Coordinates of all heavy atoms in Angstrom, one line a residue:
M2 N 0.8 -1.2 0.0 CA 0.0 0.0 0.0 C 0.9 1.2 0.0 O 1.8 1.3 0.8 CB -0.9 0.0 1.2 CG -1.7 1.3 1.4 SD -2.7 1.3 2.9 CE -3.8 -0.1 2.6
V3 N 0.6 2.2 -0.9 CA 1.4 3.4 -0.9 C 0.7 4.4 0.0 O -0.4 4.7 -0.1 CB 1.4 4.0 -2.4 CG1 2.1 5.3 -2.4 CG2 2.0 3.0 -3.4
L4 N 1.5 4.8 1.0 CA 1.0 5.8 2.0 C 1.3 7.2 1.7 O 0.6 8.1 2.1 CB 1.6 5.5 3.4 CG 1.3 4.1 3.9 CD1 2.0 3.9 5.3 CD2 -0.2 3.8 4.1
A5 N 2.4 7.4 1.0 CA 2.8 8.8 0.5 C 3.4 8.7 -0.9 O 4.1 7.7 -1.1 CB 3.8 9.4 1.5
G6 N 3.1 9.6 -1.7 CA 3.7 9.6 -3.1 C 2.8 8.9 -4.0 O 3.2 8.4 -5.1
N7 N 1.5 8.8 -3.7 CA 0.5 8.1 -4.6 C 0.5 8.7 -6.0 O 0.4 8.0 -7.0 CB -0.9 8.3 -4.0 CG -1.0 7.7 -2.6 OD1 -0.3 8.2 -1.7 ND2 -1.8 6.8 -2.3
H8 N 0.6 10.1 -6.0 CA 0.5 10.7 -7.4 C 1.8 10.5 -8.2 O 1.7 10.3 -9.4 CB 0.2 12.2 -7.2 CG -1.2 12.5 -6.7 ND1 -1.4 12.9 -5.4 CD2 -2.4 12.3 -7.3 CE1 -2.7 13.0 -5.3 NE2 -3.3 12.6 -6.4
T9 N 2.9 10.4 -7.5 CA 4.1 10.0 -8.2 C 4.0 8.6 -8.7 O 4.4 8.4 -9.9 CB 5.3 10.1 -7.2 OG1 5.4 11.5 -6.7 CG2 6.6 9.7 -7.9
A10 N 3.5 7.7 -7.9 CA 3.4 6.3 -8.4 C 2.4 6.3 -9.6 O 2.7 5.6 -10.6 CB 2.9 5.4 -7.3
Q11 N 1.3 7.0 -9.5 CA 0.3 7.0 -10.6 C 0.9 7.6 -11.9 O 0.7 7.1 -13.0 CB -0.9 7.8 -10.2 CG -1.8 7.2 -9.2 CD -2.9 8.0 -8.7 OE1 -3.1 9.2 -9.1 NE2 -3.6 7.5 -7.7
A12 N 1.7 8.7 -11.7 CA 2.3 9.3 -12.9 C 3.3 8.4 -13.5 O 3.4 8.3 -14.8 CB 3.0 10.6 -12.5
L13 N 4.1 7.7 -12.7 CA 5.1 6.8 -13.3 C 4.4 5.6 -14.0 O 4.8 5.2 -15.1 CB 6.0 6.3 -12.2 CG 7.0 7.3 -11.6 CD1 7.8 6.7 -10.5 CD2 8.0 7.8 -12.7
N14 N 3.3 5.1 -13.4 CA 2.6 4.1 -14.1 C 1.9 4.6 -15.3 O 1.9 3.9 -16.3 CB 1.5 3.5 -13.1 CG 2.1 2.6 -12.1 OD1 3.1 2.0 -12.3 ND2 1.4 2.6 -10.9
A15 N 1.4 5.8 -15.3 CA 0.7 6.3 -16.5 C 1.7 6.6 -17.6 O 1.4 6.3 -18.8 CB 0.0 7.6 -16.2
H16 N 2.9 7.0 -17.3 CA 3.9 7.3 -18.3 C 4.4 6.0 -18.9 O 4.5 5.9 -20.1 CB 5.1 8.1 -17.7 CG 6.1 8.6 -18.7 ND1 7.0 7.7 -19.3 CD2 6.4 9.8 -19.2 CE1 7.7 8.4 -20.1 NE2 7.4 9.7 -20.1
G17 N 4.8 5.1 -18.1 CA 5.4 3.8 -18.6 C 6.8 4.0 -19.0 O 7.4 5.1 -18.9
A18 N 7.4 2.9 -19.4 CA 8.9 3.0 -19.8 C 9.1 3.6 -21.1 O 8.2 3.5 -22.0 CB 9.4 1.5 -19.7
G19 N 10.3 4.1 -21.3 CA 10.7 4.6 -22.6 C 10.1 6.0 -23.0 O 9.6 6.7 -22.1
D20 N 10.3 6.4 -24.2 CA 9.9 7.7 -24.7 C 8.4 7.7 -24.8 O 7.8 6.8 -25.5 CB 10.6 8.0 -26.0 CG 10.2 9.3 -26.5 OD1 9.4 10.1 -25.9 OD2 10.8 9.7 -27.6
C21 N 7.7 8.6 -24.1 CA 6.2 8.6 -24.2 C 5.7 9.3 -25.5 O 4.5 9.2 -25.7 CB 5.7 9.4 -23.0 SG 6.2 11.1 -23.0
G22 N 6.6 9.9 -26.2 CA 6.2 10.5 -27.5 C 5.7 11.9 -27.4 O 5.5 12.6 -28.4
H23 N 5.6 12.4 -26.1 CA 5.3 13.9 -26.0 C 6.5 14.7 -26.3 O 7.6 14.4 -25.8 CB 4.8 14.2 -24.6 CG 3.5 13.6 -24.3 ND1 3.3 12.6 -23.4 CD2 2.2 13.8 -24.8 CE1 2.0 12.2 -23.3 NE2 1.4 13.0 -24.2
E24 N 6.3 15.8 -27.0 CA 7.5 16.6 -27.4 C 8.1 17.2 -26.1 O 7.4 17.7 -25.3 CB 7.0 17.7 -28.3 CG 8.1 18.6 -28.9 CD 7.6 19.6 -29.9 OE1 6.6 19.3 -30.5 OE2 8.3 20.6 -30.0
S25 N 9.4 17.2 -26.0 CA 10.2 17.7 -24.9 C 9.6 17.3 -23.5 O 9.3 18.1 -22.6 CB 10.1 19.3 -24.9 OG 10.7 19.7 -26.1
C26 N 9.5 16.0 -23.3 CA 8.9 15.5 -22.1 C 9.9 15.7 -21.0 O 11.1 15.3 -21.1 CB 8.7 14.0 -22.2 SG 8.0 13.2 -20.7
G27 N 9.5 16.3 -19.9 CA 10.3 16.6 -18.7 C 10.5 15.4 -17.9 O 11.3 15.4 -16.9
V28 N 9.8 14.3 -18.1 CA 9.9 13.1 -17.3 C 11.0 12.2 -17.9 O 12.0 11.8 -17.3 CB 8.6 12.4 -17.2 CG1 8.7 11.1 -16.4 CG2 7.6 13.3 -16.5
C29 N 10.8 11.8 -19.1 CA 11.7 10.8 -19.8 C 12.7 11.5 -20.7 O 13.7 10.8 -21.1 CB 10.9 9.8 -20.6 SG 10.1 10.5 -22.0
R30 N 12.5 12.8 -20.9 CA 13.4 13.5 -21.8 C 13.6 12.8 -23.1 O 14.6 12.8 -23.8 CB 14.8 13.8 -21.1 CG 14.7 14.6 -19.8 CD 16.0 15.2 -19.5 NE 15.8 16.0 -18.2 CZ 15.4 17.2 -18.2 NH1 15.0 17.9 -19.3 NH2 15.2 17.9 -17.0
N31 N 12.5 12.2 -23.5 CA 12.4 11.5 -24.8 C 13.5 10.4 -25.0 O 13.9 10.2 -26.1 CB 12.3 12.5 -25.9 CG 11.2 13.4 -25.8 OD1 11.4 14.6 -25.3 ND2 10.0 13.0 -26.0
D32 N 13.9 9.9 -23.9 CA 14.9 8.8 -23.9 C 14.2 7.5 -24.1 O 13.5 7.0 -23.2 CB 15.8 8.8 -22.6 CG 16.8 7.7 -22.6 OD1 16.9 6.9 -23.5 OD2 17.6 7.7 -21.6
P33 N 14.4 6.8 -25.2 CA 13.7 5.5 -25.4 C 14.1 4.4 -24.4 O 13.4 3.4 -24.2 CB 14.1 5.1 -26.8 CG 15.3 5.9 -27.2 CD 15.3 7.1 -26.3
S34 N 15.3 4.6 -23.7 CA 15.7 3.6 -22.7 C 15.3 4.0 -21.3 O 15.7 3.3 -20.3 CB 17.2 3.4 -22.8 OG 17.9 4.6 -22.4
W35 N 14.5 5.1 -21.1 CA 14.2 5.6 -19.8 C 13.3 4.5 -19.0 O 12.4 3.9 -19.6 CB 13.4 6.9 -19.8 CG 13.1 7.5 -18.5 CD1 13.9 8.1 -17.7 CD2 11.8 7.4 -17.9 NE1 13.2 8.5 -16.5 CE2 12.0 8.1 -16.6 CE3 10.6 6.8 -18.2 CZ2 10.9 8.2 -15.7 CZ3 9.5 7.0 -17.3 CH2 9.7 7.6 -16.1
T36 N 13.6 4.3 -17.8 CA 12.9 3.4 -16.9 C 12.3 4.1 -15.8 O 13.0 4.8 -15.0 CB 13.9 2.3 -16.4 OG1 14.5 1.6 -17.5 CG2 13.1 1.3 -15.6
P37 N 11.0 4.0 -15.6 CA 10.3 4.6 -14.4 C 10.9 4.2 -13.1 O 11.1 3.0 -12.9 CB 8.9 4.2 -14.5 CG 8.7 3.8 -15.9 CD 10.0 3.2 -16.4
A38 N 11.3 5.1 -12.3 CA 11.9 4.8 -11.0 C 11.6 5.9 -10.0 O 11.5 7.0 -10.3 CB 13.4 4.5 -11.1
A39 N 11.4 5.5 -8.7 CA 11.3 6.5 -7.6 C 11.8 5.9 -6.4 O 11.9 4.6 -6.2 CB 9.8 6.8 -7.5
R40 N 12.3 6.8 -5.5 CA 12.8 6.3 -4.2 C 11.6 5.7 -3.4 O 10.5 6.2 -3.5 CB 13.4 7.4 -3.4 CG 14.2 7.0 -2.2 CD 14.6 8.1 -1.3 NE 13.5 8.4 -0.5 CZ 13.3 9.6 0.2 NH1 14.2 10.5 0.0 NH2 12.3 9.8 0.9
C41 N 11.9 4.6 -2.7 CA 10.8 4.0 -2.0 C 11.3 3.5 -0.6 O 12.5 3.1 -0.5 CB 10.4 2.7 -2.8 SG 9.2 1.7 -2.0
E42 N 10.5 3.7 0.4 CA 10.9 3.2 1.7 C 9.7 2.3 2.2 O 8.6 2.6 2.0 CB 11.0 4.4 2.7 CG 12.2 5.3 2.3 CD 12.4 6.5 3.2 OE1 12.1 6.4 4.4 OE2 12.8 7.5 2.6
V43 N 10.1 1.2 2.7 CA 9.1 0.2 3.1 C 9.1 0.3 4.6 O 10.1 0.2 5.3 CB 9.5 -1.2 2.7 CG1 8.5 -2.2 3.2 CG2 9.5 -1.3 1.2
V44 N 7.9 0.5 5.2 CA 7.7 0.5 6.6 C 6.6 -0.5 7.0 O 5.7 -0.7 6.2 CB 7.3 1.9 7.1 CG1 8.4 2.9 6.9 CG2 6.0 2.4 6.5
V45 N 6.8 -1.1 8.1 CA 5.8 -2.0 8.7 C 5.1 -1.2 9.8 O 5.8 -0.7 10.7 CB 6.4 -3.3 9.2 CG1 5.4 -4.2 9.8 CG2 7.1 -4.0 8.1
C46 N 3.8 -1.0 9.7 CA 3.1 -0.3 10.7 C 1.6 -0.8 10.8 O 1.1 -1.5 9.9 CB 3.1 1.2 10.4 SG 2.4 1.7 8.9
D47 N 0.9 -0.3 11.8 CA -0.5 -0.7 11.9 C -1.3 0.3 11.2 O -0.8 1.3 10.6 CB -0.9 -0.8 13.4 CG -0.7 0.5 14.2 OD1 -0.6 1.6 13.5 OD2 -0.7 0.4 15.4
K48 N -2.6 0.1 11.1 CA -3.5 1.0 10.3 C -3.5 2.4 10.8 O -3.6 3.3 10.1 CB -4.9 0.4 10.3 CG -5.1 -0.8 9.4 CD -6.5 -1.3 9.4 CE -6.7 -2.5 8.4 NZ -8.1 -2.9 8.4
D49 N -3.4 2.5 12.1 CA -3.5 3.9 12.7 C -2.2 4.7 12.3 O -2.3 5.8 11.9 CB -3.5 3.8 14.3 CG -3.8 5.1 14.9 OD1 -4.7 5.9 14.5 OD2 -3.0 5.5 15.8
A50 N -1.1 4.1 12.4 CA 0.2 4.7 11.9 C 0.1 5.0 10.4 O 0.5 6.1 10.0 CB 1.4 3.9 12.3
A51 N -0.4 4.1 9.7 CA -0.5 4.3 8.2 C -1.4 5.5 7.9 O -1.1 6.3 7.1 CB -1.1 3.0 7.6
R52 N -2.5 5.6 8.7 CA -3.4 6.8 8.5 C -2.7 8.1 8.8 O -2.8 9.1 8.1 CB -4.6 6.5 9.3 CG -5.7 7.6 9.2 CD -6.9 7.2 10.0 NE -7.8 8.3 10.3 CZ -8.6 8.9 9.5 NH1 -8.7 8.4 8.3 NH2 -9.4 9.9 9.9
R53 N -1.9 8.1 9.9 CA -1.2 9.3 10.3 C -0.2 9.7 9.2 O 0.0 10.9 8.9 CB -0.6 9.1 11.7 CG -1.6 9.1 12.8 CD -1.0 9.3 14.2 NE 0.2 8.5 14.4 CZ 0.2 7.3 15.0 NH1 -1.0 6.7 15.4 NH2 1.3 6.6 15.2
I54 N 0.5 8.7 8.7 CA 1.5 9.0 7.7 C 0.9 9.6 6.5 O 1.3 10.6 5.9 CB 2.3 7.7 7.3 CG1 3.2 7.3 8.4 CG2 3.1 7.9 6.0 CD1 3.8 5.9 8.2
N55 N -0.3 9.1 6.1 CA -1.0 9.6 4.9 C -1.5 11.0 5.1 O -1.4 11.9 4.3 CB -2.2 8.6 4.6 CG -2.9 9.0 3.3 OD1 -4.0 9.6 3.4 ND2 -2.3 8.8 2.2
I56 N -2.0 11.2 6.3 CA -2.5 12.6 6.7 C -1.4 13.6 6.7 O -1.5 14.7 6.1 CB -3.2 12.6 8.1 CG1 -4.6 11.8 7.9 CG2 -3.5 14.0 8.6 CD1 -5.3 11.5 9.2
V57 N -0.3 13.3 7.3 CA 0.9 14.2 7.3 C 1.3 14.5 5.9 O 1.6 15.6 5.5 CB 2.0 13.6 8.2 CG1 3.3 14.4 7.9 CG2 1.6 13.7 9.6
D58 N 1.4 13.4 5.0 CA 1.9 13.6 3.7 C 1.0 14.6 2.9 O 1.4 15.5 2.2 CB 2.0 12.3 2.9 CG 2.5 12.5 1.5 OD1 3.6 13.0 1.4 OD2 1.8 12.1 0.6
N59 N -0.3 14.4 3.1 CA -1.3 15.3 2.4 C -1.2 16.7 3.0 O -1.3 17.7 2.2 CB -2.7 14.7 2.5 CG -2.9 13.5 1.6 OD1 -2.3 13.4 0.5 ND2 -3.7 12.6 2.1
R60 N -1.1 16.8 4.3 CA -1.1 18.2 4.9 C 0.2 18.9 4.5 O 0.2 20.1 4.3 CB -1.2 18.0 6.4 CG -1.3 19.4 7.1 CD -2.5 20.1 6.7 NE -2.6 21.4 7.5 CZ -3.0 22.5 7.0 NH1 -3.4 22.6 5.7 NH2 -3.0 23.6 7.7
A61 N 1.3 18.2 4.4 CA 2.6 18.8 4.0 C 2.4 19.4 2.6 O 2.9 20.5 2.3 CB 3.7 17.8 4.1
A62 N 1.7 18.7 1.7 CA 1.5 19.2 0.4 C 0.6 20.5 0.4 O 0.9 21.5 -0.3 CB 0.9 18.2 -0.5
D63 N -0.3 20.5 1.3 CA -1.2 21.7 1.4 C -0.4 22.9 1.9 O -0.7 24.0 1.4 CB -2.3 21.4 2.5 CG -3.4 20.4 2.0 OD1 -3.4 20.1 0.8 OD2 -4.1 20.0 2.9
L64 N 0.5 22.7 2.7 CA 1.3 23.8 3.3 C 2.5 24.2 2.4 O 3.1 25.3 2.6 CB 1.8 23.4 4.7 CG 0.7 23.1 5.7 CD1 1.3 22.7 7.0 CD2 -0.1 24.4 6.0
G65 N 2.8 23.4 1.5 CA 4.0 23.7 0.7 C 3.7 24.7 -0.4 O 2.6 25.1 -0.7
T66 N 4.8 25.3 -0.9 CA 4.7 26.3 -2.0 C 5.7 25.9 -3.1 O 6.5 25.0 -2.9 CB 5.0 27.7 -1.5 OG1 6.3 27.7 -1.0 CG2 4.0 28.1 -0.4
Y67 N 5.6 26.6 -4.2 CA 6.6 26.4 -5.3 C 7.4 27.6 -5.5 O 6.9 28.7 -5.3 CB 5.8 26.1 -6.6 CG 5.1 24.8 -6.6 CD1 3.8 24.7 -6.4 CD2 5.8 23.6 -6.9 CE1 3.1 23.5 -6.4 CE2 5.1 22.4 -7.0 CZ 3.8 22.3 -6.7 OH 3.2 21.1 -6.7
D68 N 8.6 27.4 -5.8 CA 9.5 28.5 -6.2 C 9.5 28.6 -7.7 O 10.3 28.0 -8.4 CB 10.9 28.3 -5.7 CG 11.8 29.5 -5.9 OD1 11.5 30.3 -6.8 OD2 12.9 29.5 -5.3
F69 N 8.5 29.3 -8.2 CA 8.2 29.4 -9.7 C 9.4 30.0 -10.4 O 9.7 29.5 -11.5 CB 6.9 30.1 -10.0 CG 5.7 29.4 -9.5 CD1 5.0 29.9 -8.4 CD2 5.3 28.3 -10.2 CE1 3.9 29.2 -8.0 CE2 4.1 27.6 -9.7 CZ 3.4 28.1 -8.7
E70 N 10.1 30.9 -9.8 CA 11.2 31.6 -10.4 C 12.3 30.5 -10.6 O 12.9 30.4 -11.7 CB 11.7 32.7 -9.6 CG 12.7 33.6 -10.3 CD 13.0 34.9 -9.5 OE1 12.0 35.6 -9.1 OE2 14.2 35.1 -9.2
A71 N 12.6 29.7 -9.6 CA 13.6 28.7 -9.7 C 13.2 27.6 -10.7 O 14.0 27.1 -11.5 CB 13.9 28.1 -8.3
L72 N 11.9 27.2 -10.7 CA 11.5 26.2 -11.6 C 11.6 26.6 -13.1 O 11.8 25.8 -14.0 CB 10.0 25.8 -11.3 CG 9.8 25.1 -10.0 CD1 8.3 25.0 -9.7 CD2 10.4 23.7 -10.1
A73 N 11.4 28.0 -13.3 CA 11.5 28.5 -14.7 C 12.9 28.8 -15.1 O 13.1 29.1 -16.3 CB 10.6 29.7 -14.8
D74 N 13.8 28.7 -14.2 CA 15.2 29.0 -14.5 C 15.8 28.0 -15.5 O 15.9 26.8 -15.2 CB 16.1 29.0 -13.3 CG 17.5 29.5 -13.5 OD1 17.9 29.5 -14.6 OD2 18.1 29.8 -12.5
P75 N 16.1 28.4 -16.7 CA 16.6 27.4 -17.7 C 18.0 26.8 -17.3 O 18.3 25.8 -17.9 CB 16.8 28.3 -19.0 CG 16.9 29.7 -18.5 CD 16.1 29.8 -17.2
R76 N 18.7 27.4 -16.3 CA 19.9 26.8 -15.9 C 19.7 25.7 -14.9 O 20.6 25.0 -14.4 CB 20.8 27.8 -15.2 CG 21.2 28.9 -16.2 CD 21.8 30.1 -15.5 NE 20.8 30.6 -14.6 CZ 21.0 31.6 -13.7 NH1 22.2 32.1 -13.5 NH2 20.0 32.0 -12.9
R77 N 18.4 25.5 -14.5 CA 18.0 24.5 -13.5 C 18.3 23.1 -14.0 O 17.9 22.8 -15.1 CB 16.6 24.6 -13.1 CG 16.1 23.7 -12.1 CD 14.6 24.0 -11.8 NE 14.1 23.0 -10.9 CZ 13.4 21.9 -11.2 NH1 13.1 21.7 -12.5 NH2 13.0 21.1 -10.3
P78 N 19.0 22.3 -13.2 CA 19.3 20.9 -13.7 C 18.0 20.1 -13.6 O 17.1 20.4 -12.8 CB 20.3 20.4 -12.7 CG 20.2 21.3 -11.5 CD 19.7 22.6 -12.0
G79 N 17.9 19.1 -14.4 CA 16.7 18.3 -14.2 C 16.4 17.5 -15.3 O 15.6 16.7 -15.5
Ligands
ZN9 ZN1 7.9 11.1 -21.4

């Protein structure tokens, strides 16, 4: 069960391996050999702890912001 990063997992599954065919894809960079991958941590916990992890992950996203200037910087690695 994915407790945090559900959207990342969904995006990787939706994209699939290889070049997705979208022009200038920021995910695979149109590399036909690209393999979907994400950091993963496995924890063993009870349902209550799992619920708390999920709530904190969602709340952290609510409180977060984006640095649009940095994201738009063409010198930004990525
Ligand atoms: Zn792609």
Side-chain angles (χ1 to χ4, degrees):
M2 175 183 296
V3 177
L4 300 178
N7 305 56
H8 292 108
T9 299
Q11 289 173 3
L13 290 173
N14 283 333
H16 186 289
D20 183 357
C21 62
H23 291 113
E24 187 176 333
S25 300
C26 179
V28 177
C29 67
R30 300 200 179 276
N31 303 103
D32 177 357
S34 65
W35 183 78
T36 302
R40 191 187 84 199
C41 174
E42 295 176 35
V43 176
V44 296
V45 177
C46 61
D47 61 19
K48 286 184 178 181
D49 188 50
R52 181 174 162 78
R53 290 196 311 271
I54 290 168
N55 184 256
I56 288 171
V57 166
D58 182 59
N59 288 326
R60 183 64 178 142
D63 289 346
L64 298 174
T66 61
Y67 291 97
D68 184 343
F69 292 107
E70 195 170 303
L72 289 170
D74 187 343
R76 297 168 298 172
R77 179 177 177 263

